């Protein structure tokens, strides 16, 4: 019995030591990626040596996802990370999940260099992450950055993911919940419009105070629906659940108030940009 107990204790101690070794290695690897996301690489040789130490593959494309949850509980997020590693699309050797500030950050490696295949993998994984996290959090939104083949430029994907999340949660329908930097289009530039330019665009360029107009009417969703349906009046009316004549009346009213006819592509874009700028700044 003494020999059995001795062997069990030795086994337990060995297992405990191994767990600590694994935890320390993971922490060191996490710190490496934290430094990478901060764009704080001062010594290229040391950077490459550490990458080799952690078996980081330099030849893989990578993308960063920033995940915002409410309530924001870092301890709970940390415990949830182990469950997320079990997802089928996660490569435990080359992918990493870490907590940065109040958000969860996922760095995903991509085996293919073909853009369409990369998009398919990213979308599938983002959907799975959203579904998994919505089971335990009241609110989840994901920002997805651009794909980079160079490890040192991964911080740009991280900044892109934060940018997509910031714009998406303010401008787009909250039902979307996953915002891709590559899908922002002209909305990408909205955060870079300074206050004076935004003030001029919303309050002085049009014939009326457009911000006040969006506050008191359903003009915003109407022009959004018109754009989504390629200026097709019948499809837009169906999307808004209104009669075609009612829609035409509202469009004429917008033209009378603003001086811009939404049925004209150029003017519709002007109004749509104003609406998104208004949503972002309100």
């Amino acid at each position: 019995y003494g020999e059995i107990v001795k062997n069990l204790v030795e086994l337990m101690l060995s297992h405990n030591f191994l767990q600590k070794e694994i935890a320390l290695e993971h922490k060191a690897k996490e710190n490496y990626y934290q430094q990478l996301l901060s764009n704080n690489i001062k010594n290229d040789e040391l950077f490459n040596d550490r990458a080799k130490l952690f078996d980081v593959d330099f030849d893989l494309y990578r993308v960063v996802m920033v995940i915002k949850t409410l309530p924001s509980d870092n301890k709970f997020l940390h415990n949830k990370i182990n469950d997320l590693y079990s997802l089928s699309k996660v490569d435990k050797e080359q992918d990493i999940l870490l907590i940065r500030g109040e958000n969860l950050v996922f760095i995903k490696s991509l085996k293919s260099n073909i853009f369409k295949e990369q998009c398919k993998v990213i979308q599938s994984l983002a959907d799975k992450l959203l579904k998994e996290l919505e089971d335990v959090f009241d609110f989840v939104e994901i920002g997805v950055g651009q794909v980079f083949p160079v490890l040192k430029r991964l911080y740009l994907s991280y900044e892109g993911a934060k940018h997509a999340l910031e714009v998406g949660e303010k401008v787009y329908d909250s039902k979307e919940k996953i915002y891709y930097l590559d899908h922002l289009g002209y909305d990408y530039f909205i955060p870079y419009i300074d206050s004076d330019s935004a003030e001029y665009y919303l309050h002085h360029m049009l014939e009326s105070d457009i911000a006040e107009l969006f506050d008191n009417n359903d003009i915003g969703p109407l022009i959004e629906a018109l754009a989504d349906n390629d200026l097709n009046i019948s499809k837009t009316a169906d999307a808004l659940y209104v009669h075609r004549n009612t829609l035409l009346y509202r469009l004429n009213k917008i033209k009378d108030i603003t001086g811009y006819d939404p049925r004209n592509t150029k003017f519709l874009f002007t109004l749509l940009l104003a609406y998104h700028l208004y949503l972002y700044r309100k």
Side-chain angles (χ1 to χ4, degrees):
Y1 287 120
E3 189 67 26
I4 292 173
V5 172
K6 174 177 173 292
N7 290 338
L8 283 173
V9 170
E10 289 177 349
L11 186 62
M12 289 169 63
L13 290 172
S14 176
H15 177 73
N16 188 47
F17 178 77
L18 182 61
Q19 290 292 97
K20 287 183 178 180
E21 286 282 298
I22 293 171
L24 285 171
E25 183 180 348
H26 182 81
K27 187 65 178 177
K29 187 175 181 180
E30 183 180 307
N31 289 338
Y32 171 80
Y33 277 103
Q34 292 279 14
Q35 186 180 13
L36 187 62
L37 295 181
S38 299
N39 190 27
N40 189 27
I41 306 298
K42 297 177 181 178
N43 186 316
D44 287 346
E45 186 177 350
L46 180 60
F47 168 77
N48 294 334
D49 287 342
R50 289 180 67 196
K52 292 175 183 176
L53 179 66
F54 299 130
D55 293 324
V56 175
D57 191 335
F58 282 89
D59 297 325
L60 294 176
Y61 284 74
R62 287 178 171 83
V63 66
V64 177
M65 300 180 187
V66 174
I67 305 164
K68 180 179 180 180
T69 63
L70 291 176
S72 179
D73 186 334
N74 282 6
K75 185 177 180 181
F76 190 77
L77 268 177
H78 188 271
N79 293 333
K80 191 61 184 171
I81 284 176
N82 291 329
D83 295 335
L84 295 176
Y85 272 117
S86 64
L87 294 176
S88 59
K89 296 286 184 180
V90 176
D91 182 342
K92 291 183 179 180
E93 297 298 322
Q94 299 299 329
D95 301 344
I96 188 165
L97 286 143
L98 50 89
I99 297 170
R100 190 171 175 85
E102 295 184 344
N103 297 326
L104 180 64
V105 175
F106 182 37
I107 300 174
K108 171 62 186 166
S109 62
L110 302 163
K111 300 295 188 290
S112 174
N113 59 0
I114 300 172
F115 181 71
K116 285 186 176 180
E117 293 182 6
Q118 291 175 346
C119 291
K120 188 176 179 181
V121 170
I122 292 169
Q123 184 175 347
S124 173
L125 184 56
D127 289 341
K128 285 185 176 181
L129 285 169
L130 180 65
K131 184 178 179 182
E132 184 81 15
L133 291 169
E134 281 188 323
D135 289 340
V136 291
F137 289 99
D138 298 333
F139 172 88
V140 182
E141 284 187 329
I142 301 175
V144 182
Q146 61 273 59
V147 174
F148 276 101
V150 182
L151 193 62
K152 281 189 66 176
R153 293 176 64 82
L154 202 61
Y155 73 94
L156 292 173
S157 183
Y158 171 65
E159 295 297 331
K162 290 195 299 179
H163 188 87
L165 187 60
E166 179 190 2
V167 174
E169 65 181 351
K170 292 182 178 179
V171 173
Y172 299 143
D173 191 325
S174 59
K175 293 179 182 178
E176 291 190 33
K177 296 186 179 180
I178 302 175
Y179 311 110
Y180 298 87
L181 186 72
D182 293 343
H183 297 177
L184 291 184
Y186 64 86
D187 287 324
Y188 174 87
F189 297 100
I190 285 180
Y192 299 112
I193 299 175
D194 62 80
S195 296
D196 290 339
S197 298
E199 180 78 11
Y200 167 71
Y201 198 90
L202 290 174
H203 299 287
H204 304 293
M205 192 180 78
L206 305 179
E207 290 184 11
S208 62
D209 188 322
I210 196 70
E212 183 179 340
L213 196 67
F214 289 136
D215 262 334
N216 301 322
N217 296 277
D218 58 355
I219 288 177
L222 189 154
I223 61 174
E224 195 87 70
L226 192 63
D228 289 342
N229 290 282
D230 301 319
L231 297 172
N232 186 301
I233 300 298
S234 297
K235 288 182 178 179
T236 303
D238 290 341
L240 295 171
Y241 303 103
V242 299
H243 192 275
R244 191 176 188 275
N245 291 340
T246 302
L247 176 61
L248 289 171
Y249 169 78
R250 292 181 181 175
L251 292 174
N252 288 328
K253 186 178 178 182
I254 294 173
K255 181 182 177 182
D256 293 339
I257 295 173
T258 66
Y260 286 77
D261 186 353
R263 287 161 291 194
N264 177 290
T265 305
K266 180 180 177 181
F267 292 154
L268 177 62
F269 175 76
T270 301
L271 291 169
L272 200 59
L273 179 58
Y275 180 50
H276 286 191
L277 186 58
Y278 159 77
L279 291 175
Y280 181 80
R281 294 179 62 83
K282 76 171 185 176

